[in-house]
Amino acid sequence: MRTKEYIKQEELKYFLYFLLLFSIILCFFHVLRLRNTRILPTYELYEHVGNINLNLGIDENISIIDWVVSFGNSSFLMRVLPFVLGLFNISLIYLIFKEIIKLKIQRIITIFILILSPTFIYVHGVYNNIFLPLFFLLFASYCILKEKYFLSGIFFIITLILNPKLFIILLFLLIIFYEKYKAKNIYVPILGLLFSAYFFITITKSSAPLGLDFYYILTEFIPDFGASFGPGIFSLMLASAGLIISWKDKIKNSIFYVALISLFMCSLQERTLFIFTEFILVYYAGLAFVELYKTKWDSYLLKNYVLILIICGIIFSSGSFVKKYSDVGPSNYEILSLDWLQKSVGENEVVMSHYEYGFLLNSYQITPYVDKNYFLYSKDKIKIKKLDQIFESREFKEVTTFLEKNNIKYIWINKKMKEGQVWNKEDAGVLLIIKNSVNFKKIYDYGEVEIWDYDSTS
Amino acid sequence: MKIRRRYIILAALFTLYFGLRLYFSLQSDYFSNDTSYFALRQIEHIAETGKPLISDSLSYGGRIFVFMPLYYYLLAFFTLIFPKIIIIKIVNNFFASTLILVIYLISSRIIKNRKISIICAVMAATIPAYINETINNISPYSFIVPGSFLLLFLFMSIDKKRVNYLIPLTMALIFSSSSTIILIFSLFIYVLISYLETYPRKKIETEFLFFFLFFFLWSNFIIFKAAYLQHGLNIIWNNTPSSLINQYFTDINLLQILGSVGLLPLFFGTYTTYNYILKKRSRKIVVFISIFLSTLLLFLLRLLPPDFAFIFMGVSLVILFGVALRDLILLMKKSKFEKHINTVYLGIVLILIITQLIPGFILLENVSKHSPTKQYIDAFAWLKKIPEKDIVLAIPEEGNFISYFGQRKNVMDTEYLLIDDVEVKYNEVKSFYKQILKIEAINVLDKYNAEYFVFSEKTKNKYGIDTLRFVDEECFDVVYNNTVIIYKWDKQECVPKNT
């Protein structure tokens, strides 16, 4: 009885430690950012800000969470909601892992790696369309584990209402649970996973390359190499080791191997799905760490150093990720310029800039020529190709015809665009034209931003 | 206590080698290459502030440096006590000379024949590539090469006690240069061969390899992360312009490899590799076969600079040569030729003297002869007289001379890491010196805000030119002319094309 009580107390202690660790990391994340600027991080987030600012109704193709946030202090809620939901998500993850991972040390390490993973920090640090559905999805999964199928069904439906794209995760979960509890052989669930992934990739019209370009994966999926989120390099190495270690039980693990590959392929199309790939990765990372810890080493000194280095590497990845997000755009100068531009831009007037800033411009009720959604989901990408061509063009006629045809009145240029994102030199491409033509007038130049006005009549 | 004769011989060899190196090194007041002056700036900055020079306003007109700083810290420590240039030369050569001791240790452990071990130690120390790179330059190789082979020596018979020495040594090597990645490759190849050949392997070897790998990754991620984000996989080549990399490799031929590594080590070393992979078995020898194979592989894949590859290949081949020689002697002992063993030794020593010692000695002399002259350095020192904000254009190999002696900003030097458009810069500097049209040359000067440019013998040799054809009296004034010519662009008289 006493032992049971002690175990319960121990579990509670670790659970509270995890909540504390998560809170500390997220507080650091926000405090570092707020020390630099009060502006919400990432340009992608301004897709939601746009929806919220426009006060669209629930039926106007806006997510429920954006609609709810639009009723309160949106800037505050956009910071606090993911954080609070993160605490609930940690609790659910803890409960789920308690059911799945029987070994206490492995459970602790797995959750520790997950909390420190840049993906998890991103999902609960930056407002997005995944943190709330994740909560319901985790709840649904926990209900299945506790054999409360009706309740789990309700939560699955809520998840789908909040983010319909998560149907693929729902399918995956159901197939995995089916394989674990009901299936007589492994082939049907595996085929089910592969077919689901294929179906998802086919219906998602993303622009991401399907081919596995090593450099692309490195820079788009590993934050240590510049990705916006993903697993840290040390967790990834640990996960790889875990996968190798788990190979001795390959039949038992095969469903997870296939799920990992399928989820990764789906993540190439829809980046936010990577959080689910991360769940599998941290499971194997935890497995590898425990194996390293449990194995009898000839030299304890080396063992301690290796384990410390791995932990330091994991912490270092999350630390540098948090630091990176404290400096990430938009900057104060960019926001000031948009405040100013918002007052000048007329109805039906379009602003030309890089597609990455489309959501940001839109959130100030400024119509961009193109935004990131177009880049990601347009099949032909004609507008992107044309924009690239204009950015590089030095043909006055070509540029002005394009601007007039698309009703573009302003060109919004920031520092990043001039430092490699679009141009590498001061007078590269269209920059040479706008600097030397009377039709273009620099109407704004402050800090890191320039705004050029195009007047065909000059 | 009686000191053994072999220790006396070894101490004498070390003293002789160190003395010779020092003698030739001190013939010149300057270092041979420009990267030494980058190192010297780092050492001076560390000695003054305790921190390496990270944000520099002179190199490329202002940039950030990323590098492994330990070796510079080590040298900076000595400069606090003794006069700067001399002590740096002494310490640098002292470290480089320890190679003779390390190779003796390794050879005597593997070969168990004192005569051959001494021959190997002398051969390793006189590898032309090694002398060239370390005698009159501030080069981390002076520390890395003996350190790496010492690490392999400790690794050969690794146990709990030796781990206590291996850990700090590994850390020191990693924090001195990223080139230590070669050791990780080698140890992986060693593990692979051991696995394939079913050698009884100690668990602690794999444990050490894990430690080495994780420590290397961790430290390199911390220091070179920004560089990786900027250059991607080009970081392997330190962002060196591709035309320069191609030049490194196209200039290499078999004769040069023979000259850099040595005839006897190459021939006998290759034979030992073949012999001990396919026929005989020895775990210890496989360690050195692995380092030879991994260096060769990385060199063939153009992932290692030739100088560094030649040094590592050379030293490992010398050890393998020793093994071949031992096997030959053993074979002779069992045959009718036993009485001719001393003749063989004599023959080997004679061949060594002809193929390695004499060229090595000539190289030692040449290194001091080819060091920069006072007149050459004075030209760069003269740059102190020009306004502080002015930028000076020269070939990349003279950029660090401008920063160190002239204390003025350069357009380009040989520290390419974290530099944008390095390829464009490199080609534009090249085209500047080969230019015929004055207006094009002025445009290059204008682009980089450079008002002065240097024209030296080094420039002539590098680009195969005798004169600067675009230069005329109207636009360019000769402001310094003594071996090296320094021109000033008259901005008032000649304006660039776009203005």
Side-chain angles (χ1 to χ4, degrees):
Chain A
M1 195 67 186
R2 265 193 173 175
T3 330
K4 239 184 176 179
E5 194 67 26
Y6 174 76
I7 292 168
K8 257 192 175 179
Q9 272 187 359
E10 277 281 293
E11 292 280 351
L12 185 70
K13 193 174 82 183
Y14 282 114
F15 172 67
L16 290 175
Y17 279 151
F18 287 137
L19 290 184
L20 187 68
L21 176 68
F22 175 76
S23 307
I24 290 170
I25 294 168
L26 263 280
C27 283
F28 254 116
F29 183 88
H30 289 301
V31 168
L32 277 180
R33 176 77 190 174
L34 286 168
R35 258 178 47 178
N36 273 359
T37 173
R38 297 189 69 80
I39 296 158
L40 291 163
T42 79
Y43 295 103
E44 284 86 3
L45 179 142
Y46 284 81
E47 182 186 12
H48 302 283
V49 175
N51 292 338
I52 293 162
N53 285 352
L54 290 171
N55 270 322
L56 299 170
I58 188 74
D59 55 337
E60 291 182 66
N61 203 13
I62 164 179
S63 72
I64 294 172
I65 183 86
D66 288 353
W67 181 69
V68 172
V69 169
S70 68
F71 288 106
N73 177 347
S74 56
S75 172
F76 173 75
L77 284 175
M78 287 172 94
R79 280 198 174 95
V80 169
L81 266 182
F83 178 70
V84 174
L85 259 296
L87 292 172
F88 285 112
N89 288 345
I90 290 281
S91 315
L92 285 166
I93 287 164
Y94 185 81
L95 292 171
I96 292 169
F97 280 8
K98 208 172 149 188
E99 297 292 324
I100 299 171
I101 307 168
K102 296 296 171 203
L103 199 63
K104 193 174 122 192
I105 176 91
Q106 190 183 344
R107 191 161 65 236
I108 290 166
I109 291 295
T110 309
I111 299 173
F112 174 77
I113 297 170
L114 181 69
I115 292 173
L116 284 171
S117 84
T119 316
F120 201 75
I121 299 171
Y122 176 84
V123 167
H124 299 102
V126 180
Y127 184 86
N128 55 63
N129 57 4
I130 204 89
F131 67 92
L132 185 63
L134 179 67
F135 169 72
F136 287 104
L137 200 67
L138 289 169
F139 222 137
S141 309
Y142 183 64
C143 288
I144 289 188
L145 288 169
K146 287 286 172 190
E147 296 179 355
K148 295 192 167 114
Y149 300 116
F150 179 71
L151 210 56
S152 114
I154 292 172
F155 287 130
F156 274 138
I157 292 166
I158 297 173
T159 309
L160 283 182
I161 294 169
L162 289 170
N163 191 340
K165 277 180 189 166
L166 294 186
F167 81 90
I168 180 72
I169 305 300
L170 202 146
L171 267 175
F172 274 39
L173 275 173
L174 292 177
I175 291 169
I176 291 170
F177 281 126
Y178 170 74
E179 192 271 337
K180 288 287 156 210
Y181 298 110
K182 305 274 180 205
K184 285 184 182 131
N185 65 48
I186 192 99
Y187 306 109
V188 177
I190 284 178
L191 282 173
L193 281 181
L194 292 173
F195 180 74
S196 310
Y198 176 75
F199 177 64
F200 181 81
I201 292 164
T202 317
I203 60 161
T204 316
K205 296 163 192 152
S206 167
S207 64
L210 262 179
L212 294 177
D213 175 354
F214 177 68
Y215 190 69
Y216 173 82
I217 289 170
L218 224 55
T219 51
E220 287 297 313
F221 282 88
I222 302 175
D224 297 306
F225 295 122
S228 43
F229 62 88
I233 186 77
F234 276 82
S235 334
L236 197 64
M237 284 170 64
L238 213 51
S240 315
L243 285 163
I244 295 166
I245 291 164
S246 72
W247 194 252
K248 55 183 179 234
D249 288 329
K250 51 183 177 288
I251 302 292
K252 203 176 126 194
N253 282 290
S254 54
I255 191 83
F256 294 112
Y257 299 155
V258 179
L260 183 68
I261 295 164
S262 309
L263 268 170
F264 179 70
M265 294 310 285
C266 294
S267 315
L268 284 173
Q269 305 300 305
E270 182 61 44
R271 285 300 316 275
T272 45
L273 294 184
F274 199 81
I275 179 76
F276 303 100
T277 317
E278 185 94 18
F279 281 127
I280 303 180
L281 285 176
V282 292
Y283 170 76
Y284 285 109
L287 184 76
F289 193 91
V290 170
E291 196 67 26
L292 280 174
Y293 179 75
K294 274 170 58 190
T295 312
K296 198 179 173 314
W297 288 48
D298 277 357
S299 164
Y300 278 99
L301 194 64
L302 282 174
K303 178 182 177 173
N304 290 339
Y305 273 119
V306 168
L307 294 180
I308 288 168
L309 278 171
I310 291 171
I311 293 171
C312 284
I314 291 169
I315 294 172
F316 167 70
S317 286
S318 30
S320 63
F321 179 78
V322 168
K323 175 76 185 64
K324 181 178 132 185
Y325 268 80
S326 68
D327 299 326
V328 90
S331 67
N332 285 329
Y333 291 120
E334 286 168 348
I335 297 297
L336 272 176
S337 75
L338 293 176
D339 271 332
W340 184 88
L341 183 63
Q342 191 182 24
K343 289 164 199 156
S344 318
V345 75
E347 214 175 309
N348 298 327
E349 284 177 343
V350 176
V351 176
M352 183 170 96
S353 188
H354 190 266
Y355 66 80
E356 193 184 340
Y357 312 113
F359 294 145
L360 181 65
L361 291 166
N362 213 14
S363 71
Y364 280 80
Q365 282 98 53
I366 298 164
T367 316
Y369 171 66
V370 69
D371 64 21
K372 203 166 182 177
N373 271 345
Y374 178 85
F375 170 73
L376 287 173
Y377 303 114
S378 148
K379 241 181 181 173
D380 50 21
K381 290 188 183 41
I382 290 174
K383 279 176 133 185
I384 299 285
K385 284 173 199 160
K386 190 68 200 168
L387 189 64
D388 286 344
Q389 192 186 326
I390 294 299
F391 278 147
E392 291 306 317
S393 175
R394 282 189 169 186
E395 295 284 324
F396 180 76
K397 190 82 189 151
E398 184 189 24
V399 173
T400 51
T401 313
F402 169 79
L403 296 179
E404 276 164 35
K405 192 181 159 194
N406 293 290
N407 208 18
I408 293 169
K409 173 85 172 132
Y410 301 100
I411 305 171
W412 187 85
I413 300 167
N414 69 359
K415 196 178 159 194
K416 199 175 160 192
M417 286 170 76
K418 285 171 93 173
E419 287 182 352
Q421 189 178 35
V422 181
W423 304 285
N424 281 315
K425 291 176 195 165
E426 275 292 314
D427 57 353
V430 77
L431 289 180
L432 185 76
I433 294 177
I434 62 175
K435 277 179 188 169
N436 295 300
S437 161
V438 286
N439 294 86
F440 293 92
K441 205 165 90 187
K442 196 193 266 183
I443 54 167
Y444 183 95
D445 187 1
Y446 181 60
E448 303 163 349
V449 185
E450 289 172 17
I451 302 172
W452 292 79
D453 177 42
Y454 169 64
D455 186 359
S456 56
T457 55
S458 298
Chain B
M1 198 179 74
K2 197 181 165 189
I3 302 169
R4 288 182 188 172
R5 204 177 69 175
R6 59 180 158 168
Y7 293 139
I8 296 169
I9 295 172
L10 201 60
L13 270 176
F14 174 78
T15 316
L16 182 70
Y17 181 57
F18 176 50
L20 268 174
R21 285 182 67 107
L22 209 56
Y23 170 76
F24 287 111
S25 174
L26 291 173
Q27 294 295 307
S28 168
D29 292 338
Y30 308 106
F31 294 103
S32 295
N33 65 10
D34 76 309
T35 48
S36 299
Y37 289 96
F38 158 74
L40 206 51
R41 289 185 70 212
Q42 292 298 340
I43 293 164
E44 284 177 2
H45 198 268
I46 290 168
E48 276 169 30
T49 65
K51 292 176 196 160
L53 180 63
I54 303 292
S55 178
D56 179 29
S57 60
L58 303 183
S59 176
Y60 288 80
R63 54 89 61 85
I64 301 285
F65 284 124
V66 281
F67 56 93
M68 290 294 186
L70 186 75
Y71 190 61
Y72 303 134
Y73 267 99
L74 207 65
L75 294 176
F77 169 75
F78 287 103
T79 60
L80 294 174
I81 313 163
F82 303 102
K84 199 169 59 197
I85 304 287
I86 295 172
I87 192 66
I88 288 173
K89 286 197 176 195
I90 293 172
V91 175
N92 201 50
N93 278 298
F94 177 80
F95 280 130
S97 304
T98 53
L99 184 70
I100 217 166
L101 303 176
V102 174
I103 299 304
Y104 179 81
L105 275 175
I106 294 172
S107 310
S108 55
R109 174 66 58 86
I110 297 178
I111 300 162
K112 294 189 168 53
N113 180 319
R114 274 178 237 154
K115 276 183 199 164
I116 300 175
S117 299
I118 285 173
I119 290 173
C120 286
V122 173
M123 278 174 85
T126 51
I127 287 171
Y130 185 62
I131 293 177
N132 211 12
E133 199 59 38
T134 57
I135 190 162
N136 196 31
N137 296 322
I138 307 177
S139 167
Y141 292 168
S142 308
F143 179 67
I144 292 292
V145 178
S148 298
F149 281 91
L150 182 63
L151 185 139
L152 293 173
F153 168 73
L154 292 169
F155 180 81
M156 270 194 318
S157 32
I158 188 171
D159 55 24
K160 276 183 196 173
K161 203 179 150 195
R162 281 179 188 237
V163 160
N164 294 332
Y165 304 111
L166 269 169
I167 290 172
L169 180 63
T170 310
M171 288 177 174
L173 289 174
I174 287 174
F175 279 125
S176 297
S177 168
S178 296
S179 318
T180 36
I181 194 166
I182 184 74
L183 290 174
I184 299 178
F185 270 103
S186 309
L187 294 179
F188 266 111
I189 289 190
Y190 162 72
V191 169
L192 185 74
I193 296 174
S194 305
Y195 175 75
L196 294 173
E197 292 292 315
T198 60
Y199 283 123
R201 209 157 31 83
K202 292 180 194 167
K203 213 167 139 194
I204 203 166
E205 287 176 357
T206 323
E207 291 166 9
F208 172 71
L209 189 54
F210 267 123
F211 165 75
F212 199 162
L213 177 71
F214 279 116
F215 194 80
F216 180 86
L217 285 178
W218 182 76
S219 51
N220 276 269
F221 271 122
I222 290 175
I223 291 173
F224 295 105
K225 199 180 151 192
Y228 183 81
L229 291 178
Q230 193 169 331
H231 307 305
L233 296 175
N234 205 18
I235 195 175
I236 297 169
W237 261 110
N238 280 332
N239 195 34
T240 306
S242 57
S243 42
L244 202 59
I245 297 171
N246 289 336
Q247 196 188 319
Y248 285 160
F249 286 93
T250 44
D251 290 350
I252 290 166
N253 50 41
L254 187 67
L255 217 65
Q256 200 183 345
I257 298 175
L258 278 175
S260 302
V261 175
L263 177 73
L264 280 181
L266 191 66
F267 181 73
F268 283 102
T270 316
Y271 173 73
T272 308
T273 306
Y274 159 78
N275 211 12
Y276 278 84
I277 283 188
L278 297 176
K279 291 180 177 174
K280 296 181 177 178
R281 284 167 69 88
S282 166
R283 200 180 56 83
K284 283 177 185 170
I285 293 169
V286 166
V287 174
F288 297 95
I289 290 177
S290 306
I291 198 148
F292 166 59
L293 290 180
S294 55
T295 317
L296 184 69
L297 185 74
L298 292 177
F299 171 67
L300 292 175
L301 292 172
R302 296 188 169 198
L303 295 172
L304 270 188
D307 291 340
F308 186 67
F310 289 156
I311 294 172
F312 264 77
M313 266 199 277
V315 179
S316 49
L317 281 173
V318 160
I319 296 164
L320 300 177
F321 157 78
V323 175
L325 190 58
R326 178 201 62 184
D327 290 350
L328 179 72
I329 301 292
L330 284 176
L331 194 72
M332 285 178 78
K333 274 184 182 170
K334 288 178 193 165
S335 68
K336 284 186 242 170
F337 295 100
E338 194 181 359
K339 52 190 172 204
H340 298 297
I341 285 176
N342 282 335
T343 324
V344 171
Y345 273 126
L346 194 70
I348 295 281
V349 169
L350 268 174
I351 296 172
L352 262 182
I353 289 171
I354 296 164
T355 61
Q356 205 140 340
L357 289 186
I358 294 173
F361 194 79
I362 294 167
L363 196 70
L364 279 168
E365 251 193 324
N366 277 350
V367 167
S368 54
K369 267 184 197 165
H370 290 119
S371 297
T373 59
K374 190 177 180 306
Q375 281 168 318
Y376 179 77
I377 295 297
D378 281 349
F380 293 97
W382 177 88
L383 289 169
K384 276 183 191 163
K385 290 178 182 168
I386 69 171
E388 216 167 294
K389 63 170 182 35
D390 284 352
I391 300 175
V392 184
L393 186 144
I395 55 168
E397 290 79 2
E398 286 174 336
N400 283 314
F401 288 116
I402 296 170
S403 307
Y404 184 78
F405 292 106
Q407 286 163 26
R408 292 294 173 267
K409 295 177 182 194
N410 64 46
V411 170
M412 190 171 199
D413 55 45
T414 46
E415 298 302 317
Y416 304 113
L417 212 56
L418 283 181
I419 300 298
D420 283 326
D421 298 326
V422 73
E423 196 80 44
V424 176
K425 282 186 179 125
Y426 184 80
N427 289 331
E428 281 182 341
V429 169
K430 184 178 173 184
S431 73
F432 171 81
Y433 282 106
K434 289 188 160 187
Q435 200 53 252
I436 303 169
L437 300 172
K438 185 169 67 182
I439 196 74
E440 293 295 334
I442 288 173
N443 278 338
V444 174
L445 289 172
D446 182 57
K447 185 180 172 183
Y448 294 107
N449 289 324
E451 219 162 307
Y452 294 84
F453 57 95
V454 177
F455 186 58
S456 64
E457 279 301 317
K458 223 177 190 173
T459 319
K460 288 179 190 172
N461 293 336
K462 185 175 170 71
Y463 298 132
I465 49 172
D466 295 326
T467 52
L468 292 173
R469 286 191 281 179
F470 64 83
V471 166
D472 64 16
E473 284 179 3
E474 184 197 350
C475 292
F476 305 102
D477 305 325
V478 175
V479 287
Y480 184 91
N481 189 356
N482 187 5
T483 319
V484 176
I485 308 172
I486 300 173
Y487 292 95
K488 184 178 191 282
W489 165 34
D490 193 342
K491 272 188 173 176
Q492 309 296 325
E493 288 292 323
C494 305
V495 286
K497 198 165 60 178
N498 293 335
T499 312

